[in-house]
Structure formats: structure tokens, C-alpha cells
Amino acid sequence: MKTKSFRYSVIITGPAYGTQSSFCAYQFCLSLLNNSTHTLHSIFFYADGTYNANRFTNPANDEFHLVEAWQTLAKTHHIKLSVCIAAAQRRGVTQEEFANNIANEFELVGLGDLSDSVAQCDRVIQF
């Protein structure tokens, strides 16, 4: 019996630190990328999840650096890290000329990108 393959879209609403949701999302994404059956179609950061895109995040030396982990995942697997521009701006994550704190590999986009991703996927998982 053949296993069905699914395309996943992951939505992250938890901050990089303070809860486990973002780290769990990261682990889930890695599992999908290392799985030959399913594919990871998109990653979208929304609400407090936009804090994952702040390049000034600086955890202690003995803590896992989640922002860098997301960046490495994006570079290694050529996956776009989409960040809701409206939610990011409300939380001070911006990409303006004199106030740019968006981390490399993250891209500010509108909710239309999320809508398109959801329409193209079989499964949507929110963390």
C-alpha cells in the first residue's frame, strides 16, 4: 500500500523565546524536510511569531539560537521565511531605511501570500 504524500504549510504564531511553539515548529519543519514522503511548501510567521525575524535577538551562549536556526534552514533547503508585514510592524520588526531589524532570509509579505500558500497545500499546521 502506497503512502499518500502531502504538501504542508506551517504558520508560526509563537515568539522565538518564552514559549515552546516556535521551537516545536522548527523541529516539525526539519522533520518534513528530512522526510521523503511529504514536502514543506511554506513557512509563515504571524502575530507574535514575527519576533522570530528580529535580527537583534541575542540569546545566552548556552541557549539554542532559534533565529539563526531558521536562517540556516532557509539557506540550506531554499525555503522562504515569510513574515506578515502588518503584524511585524505592530511589534517593531521593520525593514525601513533607518530602522531595519529584519534578519536575513526573512521576507516581509502581506496576508495574500499566506492565502496563496494555504490554497496550494494539503495540510496547514499552526504553532
Side-chain angles (χ1 to χ4, degrees):
M1 183 174 183
K2 186 178 178 186
T3 304
K4 183 165 173 44
S5 176
F6 293 113
R7 288 171 47 109
Y8 284 84
S9 185
V10 175
I11 303 170
I12 297 136
T13 58
Y17 298 98
T19 70
Q20 294 240 330
S21 61
S22 187
F23 181 68
C24 289
Y26 172 75
Q27 290 179 313
F28 181 79
C29 290
L30 279 181
S31 295
L32 283 177
L33 291 166
N34 293 321
N35 184 316
S36 61
T37 306
H38 306 298
T39 57
L40 177 59
H41 176 68
S42 68
I43 301 172
F44 191 86
F45 297 89
Y46 186 65
D48 284 349
T50 60
Y51 287 123
N52 286 273
N54 186 342
R55 71 182 170 104
F56 294 131
T57 301
N58 190 17
N61 289 338
D62 62 342
E63 291 181 12
F64 185 74
H65 200 311
L66 193 53
V67 175
E68 284 183 358
W70 284 119
Q71 292 171 301
T72 301
L73 180 141
K75 281 189 247 179
T76 304
H77 298 283
H78 308 289
I79 190 131
K80 182 176 160 183
L81 300 176
S82 301
V83 181
C84 176
I85 190 168
Q89 287 176 336
R90 281 187 208 101
R91 289 161 179 84
V93 179
T94 63
Q95 194 172 21
E96 297 172 13
E97 185 177 350
F98 298 108
N100 182 357
N101 65 340
I102 189 112
N104 293 335
E105 307 302 324
F106 289 87
E107 182 180 338
L108 295 174
V109 299
L111 283 175
D113 280 30
L114 175 60
S115 178
D116 290 343
S117 292
V118 168
Q120 296 176 30
C121 289
D122 302 300
R123 300 283 186 266
V124 177
I125 307 290
Q126 179 182 342
F127 290 90

